[in-house]
Amino acid sequence: MTSLEEINRLRRVDSRGRPLLVPVAELTLYWRGSIAERSAALMGVVRRMLGDIGPALRFFETGEMAGGKPLRTDTLETIPFWLRQKHVRPDIYWMRLESGAKRDDPSDQALLFLADEEDDVRMGALRLALPPAVLVERPEAFVDRVAYYVGDLAFESGHAGFGINWDQRGEDALEAKRQEGEIAARFHGVDFFNLDVTLVAMRLAARPVIKRAGWLTLLGSDITRQLGGERVLASSLPSGCRVRPLPLGLVVQAGPEPTIGGPIQHVDLQYYKAVGELLEPWRVKEHENLFSAATPSGENGTALWLSRFDRT
């Protein structure tokens, strides 16, 4: 079991002492197709998430902006406004909401929305960040919360567990990616994100895929069906793993508690590896760099990190 003290050691600051990497409990959902095809369900997901973190949010940024600005009275209605459009115009809909002390500070209560409606294959993603204490102190309640957030959304895949929040558009983005690569090499149970490049990788796969296995791996109805359904999947995993049904998919839980998977916690990753090996045929294979460079040994750090749980 990872303690709150251990996860908080992953926090990094920049040369000015401002947050660079912030450890969080994360939930990320990916969908294939237009937001118009799932507008009501997606609206419900966003409303439920904002219902929990909305009071803490202080800054926002959209795709046309160069940095965050203080929330306005109508800011939290921006994503719902996009989702209410009867005819979604070709565009990239991107919004970041943060609760940091200063603009552009990554924080532990945040929401990131991305819908690429320009490409022939339309795709989107939604990422929620919460304080890691909600996961450390009550992991089973977190699983329930994930199911509550997802509701009846038709999604392709997703993941939830420990993660890192960072400002991917900030002036220190390259340094943040470098330090993420260092953390990824040591702590295998932590998620690192760049929604833009992950959606490109998923689109290129041309079929339903997952990013990689996590403590919670969410499988949409297509992947669930290809795996043979809930019972077949559950029977293929160790008894320490759980499979929970969703209205339009499943949640696969890799063990009773999440872990950051540090050097002295390798035993805790046995369930992650069991899930990862089973789902390896559905893991995205071609993915641009999440980190700033190759590992010290010259390997592709992103490819290595994504494949970490492919084999036990």
Side-chain angles (χ1 to χ4, degrees):
M1 172 66 179
T2 295
S3 69
L4 194 57
E5 180 182 6
E6 288 170 320
I7 184 68
N8 280 331
R9 286 190 195 130
L10 303 184
R11 182 179 298 271
R12 301 289 187 271
V13 296
D14 64 18
S15 58
R16 298 159 295 176
R18 291 179 60 178
L20 184 69
L21 305 178
V22 177
V24 297
E26 66 88 25
L27 164 62
T28 305
L29 298 167
Y30 307 98
W31 61 86
R32 188 179 298 261
S34 174
I35 54 177
E37 299 168 7
R38 51 186 51 77
S39 58
L42 198 48
M43 179 89 74
V45 178
V46 171
R47 292 286 192 199
R48 289 187 288 274
M49 290 177 172
L50 290 179
D52 280 355
I53 69 169
L57 297 174
R58 300 185 63 194
F59 297 95
F60 79 103
E61 183 181 7
T62 60
E64 300 81 16
M65 296 165 56
K69 293 183 178 180
L71 247 65
R72 303 189 301 253
T73 55
D74 61 345
T75 299
L76 298 188
E77 287 301 313
T78 302
I79 299 174
F81 171 76
W82 292 339
L83 297 173
R84 282 195 296 268
Q85 297 180 84
K86 291 184 179 179
H87 303 288
V88 180
R89 61 186 174 86
D91 204 346
I92 295 178
Y93 299 82
W94 185 92
M95 188 173 205
R96 175 189 179 205
L97 296 159
E98 293 282 356
S99 60
K102 297 182 180 180
R103 57 170 267 167
D104 300 328
D105 281 358
S107 62
D108 64 5
Q109 293 190 77
L111 189 74
L112 182 58
F113 179 92
L114 171 60
D116 183 351
E117 297 283 326
E118 286 188 329
D119 199 277
D120 290 341
V121 179
R122 299 183 176 189
M123 298 198 69
L126 181 64
R127 187 178 196 263
L128 174 70
L130 295 170
V134 303
L135 185 50
V136 172
E137 296 170 1
R138 300 184 64 198
E140 282 304 316
F142 181 79
V143 181
D144 293 338
R145 206 66 187 167
V146 165
Y148 164 74
Y149 289 136
V150 175
D152 61 354
L153 178 68
F155 64 97
E156 176 162 311
S157 62
H159 46 80
F162 291 123
I164 294 292
N165 191 19
W166 65 296
D167 179 12
Q168 64 189 84
R169 291 182 163 196
E171 60 184 42
D172 293 315
L174 285 178
E175 176 60 17
K177 291 173 69 174
R178 185 190 69 78
Q179 295 200 33
E180 282 187 319
E182 292 179 354
I183 294 173
R186 298 186 63 214
F187 299 96
H188 303 163
V190 180
D191 180 69
F192 303 90
F193 82 95
N194 185 325
L195 296 187
D196 305 71
V197 299
T198 296
L199 287 186
V200 169
M202 289 182 157
R203 180 182 290 117
L204 291 175
R207 67 183 184 90
V209 289
I210 67 169
K211 178 180 166 185
R212 79 163 196 164
W215 182 57
L216 301 182
T217 305
L218 288 80
L219 307 175
S221 55
D222 287 338
I223 298 178
T224 297
R225 183 174 57 255
Q226 293 167 15
L227 280 160
E230 178 184 356
R231 290 186 179 180
V232 172
L233 181 58
S235 66
S236 303
L237 292 168
S239 59
C241 296
R242 293 179 56 193
V243 178
R244 173 174 179 159
L246 295 170
L248 294 173
L250 298 172
V251 177
V252 183
Q253 181 177 334
E257 299 170 337
T259 176
I260 59 175
I264 61 172
Q265 295 182 317
H266 61 278
V267 175
D268 294 341
L269 290 168
Q270 61 180 311
Y271 296 124
Y272 288 62
K273 292 178 179 179
V275 174
E277 181 174 10
L278 182 63
L279 298 180
E280 186 272 337
W282 287 270
R283 182 183 63 75
V284 68
K285 299 301 192 295
E286 301 294 330
H287 198 296
E288 291 185 29
N289 281 340
L290 289 167
F291 315 118
S292 60
T295 63
S297 61
E299 297 175 283
N300 182 321
T302 297
L304 186 63
W305 178 76
L306 288 170
S307 65
R308 188 71 70 179
F309 302 137
D310 283 3
R311 294 287 182 266
T312 56

